[in-house]
Amino acid sequence: MLSKKASCESHGQDSSYFLGWQEYEKNSYHEVQNTTGIIQMGLAENQLSFDLLESWLESNSDVLALKRKGRSVFRELALFQDYHGFPDFKNRLVEFMAKLRGFKVAFDPNKLVLTAGATSANEILMFCLAEPGEAFLLPTPYYPGFDRDLKWRTGVEIVPIHCTSANDFRITACALENAYQQAQKLNLKVKGVLVTNPSNPLGTTMNREELSHLIDFAITKKIHVISDEIYSGTVFDSPSFTSISEALMEASSDDADVCNRIHIVYSLSKDLGLPGFRVGMIYSYNETVVAAATKMSSFGLVSSQTQYLLSNILSDKKFTGKYIKENQRRIRGRKEMLVAGLRGAGIKCLKSNAGLFCWVDMRHLLSSDTFEAEKELWKRILFGFGLNISPGSSCHCSEPGWFRMCFANISQETLRVALRRVEALVESMDSTKASTLRNATSTTSGAGGDNFNHHHHRRTVRNSRRSWSLSKWVLPSPYDDHETADR
Amino acid sequence: MAIEIDDHQQPSVELSKVAVSETHGEDSPYFAGWKAYDEDPYHELNNPLGVIQMGLAENQVSFDLLEEYLEKHSEASSWGKGASGFRENALFQDYHGLKSFRKAMASFMEQIRGGRVKFDPERIVLTAGATAANELLTFILADPSDALLVPTPYYPGFDRDLRWRTGVKIVPIHCESSNNFQITPEALEAAYSNAEAMNIKVRGVLITNPSNPLGATIQRSVLEEIFDFVTRKNIHLVSDEIYSGSVFSPTEFVSVAEILEARKFKDSERVHIVYSLSKDLGLPGFRVGTIYSYNDKVVTTARRMSSFTLISSQTQHLLASMLSNKAFTENYIKINRERLRKRYEMIIEGLRSAGIECLKGNAGLFCWMNLSPLLDEPTREGELALWNSMLHEVKLNISPGSSCHCSEPGWFRVCFANMSELTLQVALKRIHIFMEQLRSSTLASNQDYSGCRFLVLQVARQPI
């Protein structure tokens, strides 16, 4: 009765990424009201700098009241549905984007297309650049949402470019070529590569070598490059951020035509912490793409009320300069707190210089070097220790044992609580490791995982010095007579 | 960025077919007229000889009511003094949408229908405009190369919204002036057979009620027939009720929701309603559309798909406040209706006294004008020639029926709510003089309307 798109699973809502979210929704941690609830560390939001925005809003109340110099602009805004967007807003956006790139590049507002979030921007680019059944190459691990955003309604396929911890998950020329060959084997025509830079979930920026490989690859294969630079404002440490726009300037001597195939995606959801306002954009050097994407943006325009507000915020150069710096400082502080806390528990992270999360190495906590073991560990962390973190498999990582942990969407105090739970987790693993060795019958199946929890729960309560902290949030096993977690 | 692009180089990788196709429909006269207006827009003082825009179905008659509300209720535009208001709202990107907003929307839709039906806020899916809602529904209800049946004449934007990225086709249900363009069972069957003959699978019927461009509501008996038809064929029914709040008389609109309630929701899982605040509240810039579906799977899927087209939470917050204020909404609906009716009567009277008849309308922001007696040849070319003159000589941008896929030439959609009363009178005056000149000269038979060249000057010099 419904279309194939409606019936298929490509919306990806059955992956662990979303399941963890669901569990969190059922039992959310609260500093006061629900201290045994699940702490959300699977959501890459930036909640660190709202106070700066709030104080700006307080001093600029006429903007909220839709007034300009005392005169109401309500009518103008209410009627403004031009898909070219507010010229003033686009001017401010390209200035802001240039600022984030240290003014090493300049952007033309006429090449900017506004969309309802980066989600919409990425999908629009797929519609513009590929036919159903064609493919884009994406380095793994990648943002789980791409499976839906790039594939669902467009019919485009994703072929992974496998990156490994052997070289800190950097994209190599070899990996690019392998992915391309793999696509050929699958009879898929490759239309381009999509990278996220800074990377989600790695939290690292691409180095010049990687960018150079990428552009060479695009030139040789005559394909597109989409660079999703949504985290460009969250770079808090060296090395500094190199946008593809910069790399392009250096590469242009090799092939001027390649810039017709370079497109940047950006959004205010991460840098300014405003995901609810739905402000995304495509910057393309290709006029035909700009024209087509502009028309397509009709299906997801940015509210004129919101364009007006943000246009005003971004025009306050003093404010934005201050905001960018302070925001980056706070992100760095949080990241260091998480990294130090994890280190204390014997857990390492990939060295990162950007993003709102860390890429955490828990391979040593796996019962075996498999994705089943990773899933078990993830469930144990979620149900046994009340932390929703994203398992690497949901990001299509080729090595089991890596997890993404977000640190900017919770308070400092909550982060401390989370770190204590991580310590408890590690301690419980130390003691269960001993009992696992004794217990040759430990299972690795999904159902067995629950038994694992239950079976070892009683042992760990006995063995752990912190048994009180376990019993508070370990969910009752199926064999107990307690109420379920559906509170 | 100082990269020079060599114009003579061939692009070395193609873009998708969708990107380069013409299905966005932007080359039709609908848009050409817009362009002419943009280049020479009428202004009472600064450009009295300019083109008057009568091709834009916007509602500008009730802004004062909205502005008054905002003045009195600053909390709608801001988030209060508490720390959590702004940040909670700024973070809110849940595709379920703000609960308070969905409730307010459901209640507003009920009020428009005089409380004759109930809407469940849990069935409301929010999208950035009805444009997005219609495309989204098409993705959900049909596969590429399937078809939706749409009665003609229809809103030109549907060619893009329903077809462009979805790959779905539109097969027209031909309606004729002989019965006031009403949809008949025969026309429905004919369209269906037509599709079958072309080996195209029909997935649903999409109606706009009240109709754009007719400016008339669909009668209850016709709605019943349409519903019976889709049930018999086991296909969907999408009812775009975007103009439901713009019906001049409160009792004349029957929503498909009423038909379903009367039948105790039997077979209702095939029905989906589209709505938006762009026309009734005059807020197209805010991008507020909704899908109301009686089908659980459609609701769930549409909700997930709405991720690509969410409404700004800032805007949801503003409108939740406004629309949950019953005193405001009741007053607004009432006054908006009255003002639209008054405008409608003004234009109908003005046209009639110029010797032009319109389809009897009772809703919307436009009237459906019959200029077929003026055509030298009853063809699309004849219509376009007349349209050209209206645009370049009379300086009125109106929409030719052919851009709405009307099967009879000579009909035009004329908008009346997107300008001041004074401007409307200037437009009517121009039409008056144009008609006088036609009657008094033989130029019409040569399809040479160039005698109208000084028409706008004459009007500009006359007192209204």
Side-chain angles (χ1 to χ4, degrees), chain B residues 46-100:
Chain B
N46 304 338
N47 190 19
L49 307 183
V51 175
I52 298 179
Q53 173 66 284
M54 301 189 90
L56 197 49
E58 275 175 357
N59 180 359
Q60 295 192 27
V61 308
S62 304
F63 275 132
D64 57 321
L65 301 177
L66 298 170
E67 280 161 340
E68 198 192 311
Y69 176 86
L70 291 174
E71 266 310 301
K72 287 206 194 112
H73 298 269
S74 60
E75 75 280 3
S77 328
S78 64
W79 295 275
K81 291 283 171 200
S84 67
F86 168 70
R87 58 183 73 185
E88 251 174 52
N89 188 238
L91 287 170
F92 187 85
Q93 57 171 331
D94 180 351
Y95 58 32
H96 288 82
L98 225 53
K99 190 161 193 164
S100 57

XYZ file of all heavy atoms in Angstrom, chain B residues 46-100:
431
model
N 5.937 55.511 -6.060
C 7.211 55.497 -6.788
C 7.137 54.916 -8.186
O 7.993 55.202 -9.014
C 8.259 54.688 -6.003
C 8.436 55.226 -4.593
O 8.120 56.383 -4.334
N 8.922 54.393 -3.707
N 6.127 54.104 -8.441
C 6.069 53.496 -9.766
C 4.632 53.151 -10.145
O 4.278 51.972 -10.273
C 6.951 52.237 -9.813
C 7.116 51.709 -11.233
O 6.896 52.432 -12.216
N 7.483 50.449 -11.371
N 3.802 54.184 -10.313
C 2.377 53.949 -10.578
C 2.100 53.309 -11.945
O 0.980 52.897 -12.209
C 1.770 55.357 -10.497
C 2.890 56.290 -10.738
C 4.131 55.626 -10.265
N 3.104 53.247 -12.788
C 2.894 52.624 -14.096
C 3.420 51.199 -14.141
O 3.419 50.556 -15.185
C 3.595 53.438 -15.201
C 3.274 54.930 -15.264
C 3.981 55.570 -16.454
C 1.758 55.149 -15.407
N 3.873 50.724 -12.993
C 4.493 49.409 -12.953
C 3.496 48.256 -13.054
O 2.284 48.452 -13.105
N 4.065 47.034 -13.077
C 3.257 45.818 -13.164
C 2.648 45.517 -11.796
O 3.357 45.521 -10.784
C 4.135 44.610 -13.594
C 3.335 43.315 -13.572
C 4.744 44.873 -14.960
N 1.346 45.300 -11.763
C 0.690 44.913 -10.512
C 0.695 43.393 -10.413
O 0.276 42.703 -11.344
C -0.758 45.459 -10.435
C -0.735 46.994 -10.460
C -1.449 44.962 -9.153
C -2.101 47.646 -10.413
N 1.192 42.922 -9.304
C 1.332 41.483 -9.093
C 0.011 40.886 -8.675
O -0.465 41.116 -7.561
C 2.390 41.246 -8.009
C 2.536 39.797 -7.554
C 3.054 38.894 -8.653
O 2.317 38.531 -9.578
N 4.303 38.498 -8.542
N -0.604 40.142 -9.595
C -1.861 39.482 -9.244
C -1.702 37.978 -9.456
O -2.693 37.252 -9.586
C -3.004 40.041 -10.097
C -3.176 41.535 -9.923
S -4.667 42.150 -10.731
C -5.850 41.991 -9.393
N -0.444 37.531 -9.474
C -0.167 36.123 -9.695
C 0.333 35.441 -8.435
O 0.738 34.278 -8.468
N 0.303 36.181 -7.324
C 0.859 35.634 -6.095
C -0.241 35.444 -5.069
O -0.841 36.413 -4.583
C 1.903 36.619 -5.568
C 2.895 36.114 -4.546
C 3.518 34.814 -4.994
C 3.967 37.166 -4.330
N -0.501 34.176 -4.727
C -1.588 33.880 -3.794
C -1.114 34.057 -2.356
O -0.862 33.089 -1.642
C -2.079 32.451 -4.018
N -0.954 35.301 -1.955
C -0.564 35.602 -0.591
C -1.723 36.288 0.115
O -2.529 36.970 -0.514
C 0.602 36.600 -0.572
C 1.953 35.979 -0.708
C 3.040 37.036 -0.798
O 2.704 38.240 -0.800
O 4.219 36.650 -0.874
N -1.767 36.142 1.431
C -2.806 36.782 2.214
C -2.185 37.904 3.030
O -1.475 37.661 4.008
C -3.455 35.761 3.157
C -4.551 36.385 3.993
O -4.822 37.578 3.895
N -5.187 35.575 4.820
N -2.431 39.139 2.580
C -1.858 40.271 3.301
C -2.924 41.097 4.014
O -2.647 42.204 4.461
C -1.074 41.172 2.333
C 0.138 40.483 1.731
C 1.060 41.456 1.020
O 1.107 42.633 1.360
N 1.789 40.977 0.017
N -4.161 40.575 4.095
C -5.229 41.415 4.633
C -5.343 41.426 6.148
O -6.045 42.270 6.701
C -6.614 41.038 4.016
C -6.536 41.026 2.500
C -7.116 39.702 4.532
N -4.682 40.517 6.823
C -4.902 40.430 8.275
C -3.645 40.535 9.135
O -3.646 40.122 10.295
C -5.634 39.122 8.610
O -6.839 39.050 7.870
N -2.583 41.111 8.596
C -1.343 41.232 9.361
C -1.507 42.011 10.650
O -0.852 41.719 11.649
C -0.256 41.909 8.525
C 0.482 40.956 7.650
C 0.698 41.244 6.314
C 0.971 39.766 8.159
C 1.377 40.353 5.503
C 1.648 38.869 7.352
C 1.857 39.170 6.021
N -2.361 43.042 10.594
C -2.510 43.882 11.785
C -2.916 43.042 13.005
O -2.481 43.305 14.123
C -3.534 44.985 11.524
C -4.874 44.427 11.101
O -4.891 43.434 10.325
O -5.905 44.965 11.533
N -3.741 42.024 12.753
C -4.183 41.184 13.869
C -3.006 40.422 14.472
O -2.875 40.288 15.689
C -5.242 40.184 13.389
C -6.510 40.799 12.780
C -7.446 39.705 12.265
C -7.228 41.668 13.800
N -2.116 39.945 13.596
C -0.947 39.206 14.067
C 0.008 40.133 14.798
O 0.527 39.801 15.863
C -0.213 38.551 12.887
C -1.015 37.520 12.099
C -0.285 37.132 10.816
C -1.258 36.275 12.929
N 0.220 41.317 14.214
C 1.149 42.268 14.825
C 0.657 42.693 16.205
O 1.431 42.806 17.149
C 1.315 43.501 13.931
C 2.284 43.264 12.788
C 2.133 44.266 11.650
O 1.056 44.900 11.541
O 3.090 44.406 10.865
N -0.676 42.870 16.291
C -1.255 43.250 17.575
C -1.010 42.168 18.610
O -0.633 42.446 19.747
C -2.751 43.453 17.375
C -3.450 44.247 18.450
C -4.962 44.133 18.297
O -5.449 44.338 17.163
O -5.627 43.821 19.298
N -1.190 40.934 18.184
C -0.964 39.818 19.111
C 0.481 39.820 19.598
O 0.756 39.682 20.794
C -1.276 38.474 18.444
C -0.964 37.321 19.348
C -1.904 36.862 20.269
C 0.300 36.726 19.348
C -1.598 35.834 21.144
C 0.613 35.712 20.225
C -0.338 35.266 21.125
O -0.027 34.269 22.002
N 1.416 39.995 18.674
C 2.834 39.943 19.045
C 3.221 41.082 19.982
O 4.030 40.914 20.882
C 3.709 39.957 17.787
C 3.618 38.686 16.943
C 4.396 38.840 15.637
C 4.138 37.481 17.716
N 2.610 42.263 19.746
C 2.878 43.398 20.634
C 2.465 43.057 22.065
O 3.175 43.326 23.021
C 2.048 44.621 20.212
C 2.691 45.631 19.284
C 4.056 46.133 19.663
O 4.210 46.711 20.772
O 4.982 45.947 18.875
N 1.280 42.443 22.159
C 0.728 42.159 23.487
C 1.381 40.948 24.144
O 1.282 40.771 25.353
C -0.780 41.864 23.376
C -1.652 43.029 23.097
C -3.068 42.764 23.637
C -4.035 43.775 23.070
N -5.005 43.149 22.146
N 1.989 40.092 23.363
C 2.498 38.832 23.905
C 3.964 38.630 23.540
O 4.302 37.764 22.746
C 1.680 37.654 23.358
C 0.235 37.706 23.738
N -0.267 37.114 24.865
C -0.806 38.316 23.137
C -1.566 37.339 24.931
N -1.923 38.071 23.897
N 4.817 39.414 24.189
C 6.235 39.323 23.839
C 6.822 37.957 24.188
O 7.851 37.575 23.655
C 7.017 40.423 24.538
O 6.875 40.281 25.940
N 6.150 37.224 25.074
C 6.699 35.918 25.464
C 6.692 34.938 24.294
O 7.429 33.963 24.283
C 5.934 35.320 26.660
C 4.558 34.745 26.347
C 3.486 35.816 26.241
O 3.836 37.002 26.361
O 2.307 35.469 26.025
N 5.866 35.222 23.300
C 5.818 34.339 22.131
C 7.108 34.445 21.325
O 7.583 33.478 20.737
C 4.618 34.697 21.259
N 7.671 35.688 21.270
C 8.872 35.898 20.465
C 10.145 35.716 21.245
O 11.226 35.767 20.687
C 8.895 37.306 19.873
O 7.609 37.760 19.608
N 10.009 35.553 22.569
C 11.235 35.386 23.343
C 11.038 34.169 24.223
O 10.053 33.461 24.111
C 11.500 36.629 24.174
O 10.455 36.782 25.113
N 11.983 33.965 25.124
C 11.894 32.749 25.902
C 11.810 33.000 27.396
O 12.077 32.146 28.204
C 13.096 31.848 25.610
C 13.094 31.369 24.199
C 12.431 30.290 23.713
C 13.763 31.968 23.086
N 12.665 30.157 22.362
C 13.472 31.181 21.949
C 14.588 33.086 22.921
C 13.965 31.472 20.672
C 15.075 33.387 21.666
C 14.761 32.588 20.567
N 11.440 34.224 27.748
C 11.300 34.523 29.173
C 12.645 34.702 29.837
O 13.704 34.537 29.224
N 12.605 35.015 31.108
C 13.840 35.344 31.824
C 14.622 34.100 32.240
O 15.825 34.131 32.392
C 13.503 36.168 33.088
C 12.992 37.558 32.787
C 14.120 38.503 32.397
C 13.560 39.806 31.895
N 14.443 40.580 31.094
N 13.929 32.999 32.439
C 14.590 31.792 32.933
C 15.668 31.295 31.989
O 15.559 31.427 30.786
N 16.705 30.680 32.539
C 17.817 30.232 31.702
C 17.404 29.142 30.745
O 17.902 29.064 29.630
C 18.965 29.750 32.583
N 16.485 28.273 31.160
C 16.272 27.075 30.361
C 15.448 27.294 29.114
O 15.537 26.529 28.177
C 15.612 25.995 31.215
O 14.314 26.423 31.544
N 14.647 28.365 29.076
C 13.744 28.553 27.936
C 14.451 28.559 26.600
O 14.145 27.767 25.713
N 15.437 29.458 26.460
C 16.134 29.584 25.183
C 16.882 28.305 24.839
O 16.752 27.774 23.737
C 17.099 30.772 25.220
C 18.053 30.798 24.052
C 17.595 31.082 22.774
C 19.401 30.509 24.218
C 18.460 31.084 21.678
C 20.271 30.524 23.127
C 19.799 30.809 21.863
N 17.655 27.800 25.771
C 18.500 26.673 25.406
C 17.696 25.427 25.088
O 18.009 24.695 24.145
C 19.592 26.388 26.429
C 19.183 26.102 27.836
C 20.413 25.926 28.724
N 21.075 27.192 28.978
C 22.212 27.338 29.643
N 22.840 26.265 30.099
N 22.744 28.514 29.855
N 16.639 25.211 25.839
C 15.784 24.049 25.555
C 15.226 24.135 24.149
O 15.202 23.160 23.410
C 14.598 24.043 26.504
C 14.628 22.956 27.551
C 13.487 23.113 28.539
O 12.327 23.223 28.086
O 13.782 23.156 29.738
N 14.772 25.324 23.809
C 14.187 25.530 22.498
C 15.245 25.402 21.396
O 15.026 24.769 20.369
C 13.509 26.900 22.438
C 12.711 27.126 21.166
O 12.955 28.061 20.407
N 11.754 26.262 20.903
N 16.403 25.992 21.635
C 17.481 25.958 20.640
C 17.963 24.528 20.395
O 18.422 24.196 19.305
C 18.644 26.822 21.102
N 17.858 23.670 21.432
C 18.319 22.296 21.297
C 17.248 21.379 20.717
O 17.541 20.284 20.271
C 18.720 21.741 22.670
C 20.018 22.295 23.242
C 20.180 21.855 24.686
C 21.200 21.820 22.412
N 16.001 21.854 20.744
C 14.898 20.967 20.396
C 14.847 20.669 18.906
O 14.401 21.492 18.109
C 13.583 21.584 20.868
C 12.419 20.654 20.702
C 12.119 19.718 21.678
C 11.637 20.684 19.548
C 11.058 18.836 21.519
C 10.581 19.812 19.381
C 10.283 18.885 20.372
N 15.259 19.455 18.516
C 15.203 19.077 17.098
C 14.482 17.742 16.935
O 14.679 17.023 15.972
C 16.613 18.993 16.508
C 17.540 18.039 17.234
C 18.847 17.820 16.473
O 18.906 17.909 15.254
N 19.915 17.527 17.188
N 13.650 17.430 17.895
C 12.881 16.193 17.883
C 11.874 16.225 16.740
O 11.072 17.163 16.656
C 12.176 16.060 19.244
C 11.347 14.799 19.364
O 11.167 14.096 18.351
O 10.861 14.529 20.476
N 11.908 15.233 15.896
C 11.008 15.276 14.741
C 9.535 15.038 15.103
O 8.678 15.129 14.246
C 11.468 14.353 13.622
C 11.626 12.875 13.941
C 10.833 12.213 14.880
C 12.585 12.131 13.256
C 10.989 10.867 15.123
C 12.753 10.772 13.496
C 11.954 10.142 14.429
O 12.117 8.807 14.656
N 9.263 14.793 16.371
C 7.853 14.745 16.775
C 7.286 16.161 16.783
O 6.083 16.362 16.730
C 7.696 14.131 18.174
C 7.938 12.654 18.198
N 9.194 12.099 18.265
C 7.067 11.613 18.138
C 9.095 10.780 18.252
N 7.825 10.452 18.184
N 8.180 17.136 16.926
C 7.717 18.513 16.998
C 7.308 18.880 18.412
O 6.993 18.009 19.225
N 7.295 20.167 18.693
C 6.913 20.666 20.020
C 5.483 20.228 20.303
O 4.567 20.506 19.510
C 6.971 22.198 19.975
C 7.610 22.968 21.098
C 9.017 22.475 21.373
C 7.673 24.455 20.732
N 5.270 19.568 21.434
C 3.943 19.047 21.731
C 2.923 20.171 21.806
O 1.810 20.049 21.292
C 3.970 18.276 23.053
C 2.674 17.529 23.267
C 2.775 16.424 24.263
C 1.515 15.535 24.170
N 1.726 14.270 24.820
N 3.325 21.259 22.458
C 2.393 22.379 22.606
C 2.002 22.922 21.238
O 0.874 23.365 21.037
C 3.027 23.488 23.446
O 4.248 23.897 22.847
